[in-house]
Amino acid sequence: METNQVSSVSPSDERRADVIVEAAGRLFFGSGFARVSMDDLARELGMSKKTIYRHFPDKRSLLAAVLDRQFAAVERTLEAATEEAEGRPFAVRVQRFLIAAGGELGRIGAPQLATGRGDAMLRQYVEQRVDAVVYRRLDELFREGHRQGLLPAPPELLSEITRGALERLLMSDLPRDLDWTAADLLRATVDTVLYGAIRPTGQGIDDERPRAVIPTARDDEQEVGP
């Protein structure tokens, strides 16, 4: 999704464009993109729409610039979380990453933007950015754990489970219903994905806990054969 931003010709123009993007972000995320008009933005900024259109020829290009800025901030936050957890146990690294990712995606409303009605190009853009900034990093983290022998389940399966849980959680009423914070629920989600929902109740129980069984091609053939 291209921003189609008009090239700035001076430092003052660049600063004005930054001011426009910052104000648009406050309005778009505060009231919702569809509810904010260019007239609303012009009133908020105290400038004419003509001035705004000098930098951004339409509302879509302005939103793209806002999202570019937001995803750059998401990326910085995730990089900081990854660096902070470097050298910690694998489960802690996954937990820290997912909590940071969940907080950032929730802050910018990425799940709602990616699944809501409206501009199909906008939805595709958000999906691509979330995949590039968040999920590719998560995929690599799970692959690393698998290479180290820490995750017996296929990393692709863990990625799909965790993606679905994260996005569903951000769009659900569960935090309110359970009176938990989103961070608490994300920690519980990570714990469940990595360790399972059933806890041993006594000594020796762990040896009897069922293990995940990944079907082989031979298993499939036996099931469907005569």
Side-chain angles (χ1 to χ4, degrees):
M1 183 174 180
E2 298 178 357
T3 62
N4 296 322
Q5 183 176 345
V6 177
S7 300
S8 299
V9 296
S10 70
S12 63
D13 282 341
E14 291 180 356
R15 287 192 296 270
R16 186 176 294 111
D18 286 340
V19 169
I20 293 171
V21 171
E22 183 177 350
R26 288 197 305 271
L27 291 180
F28 290 163
F29 292 118
S31 302
F33 172 69
R35 297 182 180 180
V36 178
S37 68
M38 297 299 269
D39 287 315
D40 294 329
L41 181 58
R43 282 193 295 270
E44 173 74 13
L45 288 164
M47 65 176 61
S48 68
K49 286 197 297 183
K50 182 178 179 180
T51 301
I52 298 174
Y53 287 132
R54 275 189 58 205
H55 300 277
F56 304 96
D58 51 43
K59 189 179 176 183
R60 179 193 287 174
S61 65
L62 178 54
L63 177 60
V66 169
L67 289 173
D68 283 341
R69 174 176 290 191
Q70 293 293 331
F71 276 107
V74 171
E75 194 161 15
R76 289 193 296 270
T77 298
L78 295 184
E79 288 175 351
T82 300
E83 291 176 1
E84 182 181 350
E86 189 70 30
R88 304 290 298 276
F90 180 75
V92 173
R93 294 170 58 198
V94 174
Q95 184 188 79
R96 296 285 176 83
F97 179 86
L98 282 177
I99 290 173
E104 288 296 291
L105 293 180
R107 177 179 63 81
I108 67 175
Q112 291 81 2
L113 288 170
T115 59
R117 297 178 181 178
D119 193 324
M121 187 177 294
L122 168 62
R123 292 198 302 272
Q124 183 181 25
Y125 173 80
V126 173
E127 290 170 357
Q128 290 173 346
R129 293 293 285 154
V130 170
D131 187 69
V133 173
V134 179
Y135 291 133
R136 288 183 188 176
R137 286 182 166 86
L138 179 63
D139 292 347
E140 178 54 37
L141 191 56
F142 281 141
R143 284 195 293 268
E144 178 185 341
H146 189 67
R147 287 194 297 267
Q148 294 176 2
L150 301 173
L151 298 175
E156 297 82 3
L157 174 62
L158 292 174
S159 291
E160 286 299 314
I161 292 172
T162 308
R163 287 184 190 212
L166 178 60
E167 292 176 2
R168 177 68 181 174
L169 179 58
L170 290 173
M171 296 185 68
S172 77
D173 295 326
L174 196 59
R176 183 193 64 195
D177 294 343
L178 296 179
D179 194 25
W180 283 21
T181 66
D184 288 335
L185 288 173
L186 281 170
R187 290 187 182 95
T189 299
V190 175
D191 191 54
T192 301
V193 169
L194 295 182
Y195 301 112
I198 300 175
R199 295 298 192 192
T201 57
Q203 294 293 329
I205 298 296
D206 189 56
D207 294 336
E208 301 176 4
R209 294 177 66 187
R211 305 296 181 182
V213 178
I214 309 302
T216 64
R218 176 175 295 180
D219 293 331
D220 295 338
E221 291 171 0
Q222 291 175 349
E223 289 181 4
V224 300

